[in-house]
Amino acid sequence: MNWKLAYAIGFHPWEDTDPPFAAKLSELFDREENGRESPYGRALDLGTGSGIWGIQLAKRGWHVTGLDIVDKALRRARDRVQKAGVEMRLVHGDVTALRAAGIGSGFRLVLDTGTFHDLNSAQRAAMGQEVSAVAASDATVLLLVWPKRSRPLIRGVNRDEVEAAFPGWKVTDVEPSHFRLPKILELLLKPDEHWYRLRRK
C-alpha cells in the first residue's frame, strides 16, 4: 500500500467506523481495562492515521501517543483531536524505528489497526523489536491482521509470521474483527481480518 498516495486521494477504508467493527474493538478495550481504574496508563496507536481509535482510547482514560509516517494523516488527526477535546500526542515516525521517533517507553497497550500486515519480513521483525523495546513489562499488543493470500494492495501475514516478529510474546487470542468492505472491494481484497492479542511470555 502506498499510504501517502492513499491519503492524498482520500482512500482510507481502514479507518472503519462500521458499528460491528467498532463494537468488537470496544470489547477488546474493555478486556484490557477490566479490573483497572482510569487512567489506565500509556497507549501507543501505531499507524494512527486520522486518530480515530487513538481518540477513543483517550476518551476512555488512556494516555495516548499516535504515530504515523504520513503528514496528511497526522494533520487530519490533529483536527480530530482538537474537535474531540482530548489529550493525544501525535508523532511523525516509522513503526520500524519507534525509538528514533522519540516516543518514549512504558506503553501498556500497543494498538495497530492495519500496518503490520503490509510490511515485508525485515520490516515486521524491526517493528516487533521496536514494540518490545518501548512496551511495558505487562503490555498487551493488539494487531489487526489480514491473512496471507494473493490480492492487490495488502500482503497479509499468517500466524507463524506474527509469532516470528514477536519472539518474546505469546498470541493469547485470535478473533474476527467483523470488518466489512463494500461488496466489490470485499471480493477483490478478501480481508477476512482478525485481531491478534499478544502478551509478553
Side-chain angles (χ1 to χ4, degrees):
M1 175 72 75
N2 185 325
W3 303 107
K4 292 181 180 179
L5 175 61
Y7 274 97
I9 64 175
F11 178 75
H12 30 71
W14 50 87
E15 296 186 353
D16 191 296
T17 55
D18 183 60
F21 178 88
K24 181 60 181 180
L25 185 51
S26 180
E27 176 189 317
L28 297 181
F29 292 161
D30 288 343
R31 181 184 301 169
E32 302 311 319
E33 296 163 3
N34 186 37
R36 300 178 179 179
E37 292 186 5
S38 176
Y40 298 110
R42 303 192 69 195
L44 177 60
D45 184 14
L46 296 174
T48 190
S50 299
I52 293 172
W53 306 116
I55 289 169
Q56 293 304 311
L57 284 171
K59 287 179 176 179
R60 297 175 69 107
W62 292 86
H63 297 299
V64 184
T65 296
L67 177 135
D68 208 288
I69 201 169
V70 180
D71 289 327
K72 184 171 182 178
L74 289 170
R75 289 195 296 271
R76 286 165 53 88
R78 289 188 186 98
D79 289 343
R80 285 181 181 271
V81 168
Q82 185 176 21
K83 290 176 182 176
V86 298
E87 294 289 331
M88 178 177 170
R89 182 187 177 204
L90 294 166
V91 178
H92 183 277
D94 192 317
V95 297
T96 66
L98 299 176
R99 286 171 288 186
I103 61 170
S105 59
F107 293 98
R108 296 183 71 181
L109 178 63
V110 180
L111 175 69
D112 172 26
T113 54
T115 303
F116 178 81
H117 63 195
D118 194 42
L119 303 177
N120 62 38
S121 59
Q123 291 170 324
R124 292 195 300 268
M127 177 176 161
Q129 184 177 38
E130 291 294 301
V131 166
S132 295
V134 303
S137 59
D138 61 345
T140 297
V141 175
L142 295 176
L143 286 179
L144 190 60
V145 174
W146 288 24
K148 190 170 188 176
R149 61 180 58 155
S150 295
R151 66 163 69 85
L153 300 179
I154 300 292
R155 289 185 175 93
V157 295
N158 57 39
R159 179 168 178 155
D160 288 345
E161 290 169 321
V162 172
E163 292 175 338
F166 291 88
W169 301 73
K170 179 182 179 181
V171 175
T172 65
D173 301 275
V174 181
E175 303 173 52
S177 73
H178 305 303
F179 173 69
R180 292 293 180 268
L181 286 167
K183 192 64 175 179
I184 293 176
L185 287 177
E186 187 85 21
L187 293 171
L188 178 66
L189 298 178
K190 304 179 183 69
D192 188 27
E193 65 179 21
H194 285 70
W195 283 107
Y196 278 67
R197 180 179 185 266
L198 294 86
R199 295 278 294 175
R200 287 194 190 271
K201 292 179 180 177

